[in-house]
Amino acid sequence: MTESRIDFRRAKFLISAPDIAHLDQYLPGDIGVEIAFAGRSNAGKSSALNALTEQKGLARTSKTPGRTQLINVFQLDDDRRLVDLPGYGFAQVPLALKNKWQQALGEYLQKRACLSGLVVLMDIRHPLKDLDMQMIEWAVLSNIPVLALLTKSDKLTQSTKMKTINEVRSALKDFGDKVQVETLSSLKGTGKPKVLSILNDWCHPEWLAEEKAEQEPE
């Protein structure tokens, strides 16, 4: 669908919250539409958000993975938001802090009723680690559409990139159309139009409901 395009360049920072309780105080979970971005701490999540919104400083990037400690919310319009979730699979952080971040991530995914879609970002050179698969499986079981987004695609040759895409799609084929697989180069912008098209559809959950109703037998 192409009507009612969302201008992702208009995204602006709205709020940071340490957990869902603080988030609910400002943004009740049953209001509006949210698209969440999750990934390992080295998946290039902040760079991807900046590239998709064409804003270099929207999401903070760091040379030290795992610095996204809060749930960061960016507003697209009055009803739609992008959510940058704490990274998972951290390496060099204290266990207590890691557990705190993981709890915030889990609570958001389990309790946020306005979640319309989940983008699971993975470095294309190291896709489908155990935690990535757990995130994807959880979302599918919760009837939340997933975009498995392979980042840093410019790091591979075209032939190796296509080989990896096919391998990932094969590994996720049992999930059917509940999981889409695409690539993105935040540096070069390749893959961006397709990703934005998917996000635009997710911003209109009424479209998904209509499509589902049309597919159901009478």
Side-chain angles (χ1 to χ4, degrees):
M1 297 192 179
T2 57
E3 70 262 35
S4 301
R5 303 298 301 182
I6 301 297
D7 188 353
F8 290 90
R9 297 171 298 179
R10 298 183 63 183
K12 60 182 180 180
F13 174 78
L14 185 61
I15 187 177
S16 289
D19 51 45
I20 194 172
H22 287 80
L23 187 61
D24 272 333
Q25 291 178 10
Y26 190 83
L27 291 169
D30 58 348
I31 294 177
V33 173
E34 290 179 357
I35 297 173
F37 289 70
R40 295 177 63 84
S41 56
N42 61 351
K45 184 157 50 71
S46 296
S47 295
L49 275 164
N50 290 342
L52 292 170
T53 58
E54 297 184 17
Q55 298 185 45
K56 292 183 178 179
L58 183 70
R60 293 182 180 180
T61 59
S62 172
K63 293 182 180 179
T64 303
R67 286 289 175 85
T68 303
Q69 305 176 23
L70 302 171
I71 299 172
N72 296 307
V73 182
F74 307 100
Q75 185 171 350
L76 294 172
D77 58 28
D78 291 342
D79 300 312
R80 300 172 178 89
R81 301 174 291 275
L82 303 178
V83 181
D84 185 10
L85 296 172
Y88 54 81
F90 317 105
Q92 300 175 348
V93 296
L95 181 59
L97 186 57
K98 176 179 178 180
N99 289 339
K100 180 180 179 180
W101 295 351
Q102 294 294 90
Q103 182 178 358
L105 172 66
E107 286 183 343
Y108 174 86
L109 294 173
Q110 293 173 27
K111 300 179 180 179
R112 201 71 177 161
C114 59
L115 180 58
S116 176
L118 176 66
V119 182
V120 178
L121 298 98
M122 298 173 281
D123 186 325
I124 193 169
R125 298 166 296 179
H126 314 287
L128 297 181
K129 299 295 186 181
D130 288 345
L131 289 174
D132 300 324
M133 287 300 296
Q134 289 176 25
M135 292 287 291
I136 293 170
E137 289 170 354
W138 172 86
V140 170
L141 289 173
S142 301
N143 293 316
I144 295 172
V146 176
L147 171 59
L149 186 57
L150 305 177
T151 62
K152 309 181 185 181
S153 62
D154 53 280
K155 301 291 185 181
L156 299 180
T157 63
Q158 182 66 16
S159 60
T160 304
K161 181 175 77 170
M162 292 309 301
K163 180 175 181 290
T164 303
I165 293 172
N166 290 332
E167 289 174 348
V168 172
R169 285 176 173 162
S170 177
L172 299 175
K173 68 180 186 304
D174 289 345
F175 296 126
D177 59 2
K178 296 179 180 179
V179 179
Q180 300 179 70
V181 180
E182 298 295 339
T183 64
L184 176 70
S185 168
S186 298
L187 182 64
K188 297 183 177 181
T190 53
K192 180 178 169 182
K194 179 61 177 178
V195 174
L196 288 177
S197 176
I198 293 170
L199 300 184
N200 188 75
D201 285 351
W202 286 356
C203 281
H204 299 86
E206 67 276 10
W207 291 356
L208 302 178
E210 290 175 3
E211 289 179 359
K212 184 177 179 180
E214 291 174 357
Q215 293 171 1
E216 292 179 349
E218 295 182 0

